[in-house]
């Protein structure tokens, strides 16, 4: 296909010509400021690294290791640090250890996880992508793991998604396979941003888990600067950026629950903005432009990846807020959520699960909640959308299952505090 061209003063020009040159002097690949880049150093994560190394250290002497549960909000380095630590372990012991990484957001059934585990183990795999019973694939894997003579480390990223969709039995099957009673042996590292994940497991699964926990706290602005600065100096020459631009990216990331991904993405897009404008230097103005571009994309992706019930809860908050601009109560949101579920023919979840979804949406930064006392009427939780309501509502209704709700408005409900 011939590239479209345009005519300017009688001369044929390629529209991409204006991007051929750049004023900013790049000395490194911009992929260093990509979230998929695996850094060699992890500032301010030494305590977590030391804990994980100590827990897995028995493997270098041929002993078993406890399972690990890694907690922390999005962008706190959980996955990157886990891959770094297991990579260092493989470097130490050679091929005695096999690490298998599975994202449970993508592979959210025990069958698909076991198929991926089989692919990680050397040798031919007779296990098809579907069609076998779970018992059969389980028995086949036990034989394969024993025959490999390797110690397995199975990383289950977003492990809460597996249990949320399939129940605790799905995790129990995997824990049993990796346990010593099969003779196979192995260690599971579960990664989650749900701080209550372990507490919600049933006793059988907890007894199998035998875990150590590692908490990744959110980064503050100074810590994010320490993360950004080495990457920026590998990409740009000193004269090509303002220090204030790095500080602003770090500050914005710190406001977003200490999210390093947000800060890194923001810095990369700021550089791209400066290049497009043929600027000599990345400035705070480029950061503000990048923030506006990034926020809308992040909001869409965050909404898009939410489960259906979470989207309905979020829509309920928006509709309730249309009637109560100061914020909606949990009771109002729960009541409207149940009505919306019935409108599209699905079974509403319990009030407790709705409350869990509200907490998760707050973790994602989609809503804010505050608890207020109503005197003799007790205490209640107020909920408010933190982002662009119209955009969030539009992204929710892009889900074809929820399209029938596009014309529904929030209903006025009696509120105790209105008469206090």
């Amino acid at each position: 296909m011939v590239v479209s061209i345009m005519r300017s003063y009688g001369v044929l020009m390629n529209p991409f010509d204006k991007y051929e040159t750049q004023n900013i002097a790049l000395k490194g690949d911009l992929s260093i400021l990509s979230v998929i880049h695996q850094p060699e150093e992890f500032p301010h994560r030494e305590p977590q690294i030391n804990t994980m190394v100590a827990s897995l250290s028995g493997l270098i002497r041929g002993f078993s290791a406890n399972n690990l549960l890694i907690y922390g909000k999005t962008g706190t380095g959980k996955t990157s640090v886990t891959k770094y630590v297991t990579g260092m372990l493989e470097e130490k012991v050679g091929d005695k250890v096999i690490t298998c990484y599975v994202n449970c957001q993508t592979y959210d059934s025990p069958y698909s996880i076991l198929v991926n585990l089989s692919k990680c183990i050397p040798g031919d795999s007779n296990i098809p992508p579907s069609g076998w019973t779970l018992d059969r694939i389980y028995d086949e894997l036990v034989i394969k793991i024993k025959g490999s003579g390797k110690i397995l480390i199975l990383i289950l990223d977003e492990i809460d998604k597996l249990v949320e969709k399939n129940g605790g039995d799905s995790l129990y099957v995997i824990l049993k396979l990796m346990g010593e009673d099969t003779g196979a042996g192995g260690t599971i590292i579960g990664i989650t941003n749900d701080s209550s994940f372990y507490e919600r497991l049933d006793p059988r699964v907890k007894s199998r888990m035998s875990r150590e926990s590692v908490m990744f706290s959110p980064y503050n602005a100074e810590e994010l600067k320490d993360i950004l600065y080495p990457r920026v100096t590998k990409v740009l020459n000193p004269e090509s950026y303002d220090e204030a631009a790095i500080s602003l990216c770090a500050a914005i990331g710190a406001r977003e629950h200490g999210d390093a991904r947000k800060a890194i993405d923001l810095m990369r897009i700021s550089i791209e903005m400066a290049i497009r404008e043929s600027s000599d230097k990345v400035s705070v103005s480029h950061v503000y432009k990048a923030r506006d571009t990034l926020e809308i994309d992040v909001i869409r992706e965050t909404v898009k990846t939410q489960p259906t019930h979470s989207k309905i809860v979020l829509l309920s908050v928006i509709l309730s807020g249309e009637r109560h601009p100061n914020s909606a109560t949990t009771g109002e949101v729960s009541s409207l959520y149940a009505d919306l579920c019935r409108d599209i023919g699905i079974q509403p979840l319990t009030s407790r699960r709705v409350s869990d979804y509200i907490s998760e949406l707050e973790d994602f930064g989609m809503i804010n909640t505050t608890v207020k006392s109503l005197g003799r009427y007790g205490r209640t939780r107020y909920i408010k959308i933190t982002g662009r309501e119209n955009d969030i509502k539009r992204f929710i209704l892009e889900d074809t299952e929820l399209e029938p709700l596009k014309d529904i408005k929030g209903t006025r409900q009696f509120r105790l505090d209105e008469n206090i």
Side-chain angles (χ1 to χ4, degrees), residues 319-320 322-323 336 340 393 405-411:
L319 294 176
S320 296
E322 290 175 356
R323 293 293 185 177
L336 184 53
L340 295 180
K393 187 175 181 180
L405 302 178
K406 63 182 179 181
D407 297 322
I408 290 180
K409 305 293 183 182
T411 55

Side-chain angles (χ1 to χ4, degrees), residues 236-375:
L236 297 176
N237 289 316
E239 67 275 8
S240 296
Y241 62 89
D242 286 333
E243 295 279 351
I246 298 178
S247 298
L248 181 56
C249 288
I252 293 173
R255 287 200 298 267
E256 296 291 332
H257 308 291
D259 190 341
R261 291 182 188 175
K262 176 69 175 282
I264 292 168
D265 263 346
L266 196 56
M267 193 70 240
R268 176 179 51 79
I269 296 172
S270 300
I271 295 172
E272 291 175 349
M273 289 284 183
I275 291 173
R276 292 173 195 173
E277 295 179 5
S278 298
S279 299
D280 295 320
K281 185 177 290 190
V282 182
S283 66
V284 293
S285 65
H286 296 118
V287 176
Y288 283 123
K289 291 176 184 177
R291 180 197 61 184
D292 292 340
T293 300
L294 183 60
E295 278 185 353
I296 197 69
D297 292 338
V298 169
I299 291 171
R300 173 182 270 115
E301 190 61 25
T302 301
V303 171
K304 180 182 175 182
T305 57
Q306 294 300 307
T308 299
H309 285 281
S310 181
K311 292 177 183 176
I312 299 174
V313 170
L314 187 56
L315 181 60
S316 301
V317 174
I318 294 172
L319 294 176
S320 296
E322 290 175 356
R323 293 293 185 177
H324 298 295
N326 291 330
S327 64
T329 66
T330 305
E332 291 165 350
V333 170
S334 296
S335 177
L336 184 53
Y337 156 81
D339 291 340
L340 295 180
C341 285
R342 286 188 282 268
D343 286 341
I344 60 174
I346 66 175
Q347 181 67 32
L349 298 175
T350 64
S351 296
R352 180 177 178 180
R353 286 297 294 130
V354 172
S355 182
D356 288 341
Y357 275 125
I358 290 172
S359 297
E360 290 173 9
L361 288 169
E362 185 172 26
D363 286 341
F364 279 115
M366 303 295 291
I367 61 175
N368 278 333
T369 68
T370 55
V371 178
K372 294 182 181 178
S373 173
L374 302 181

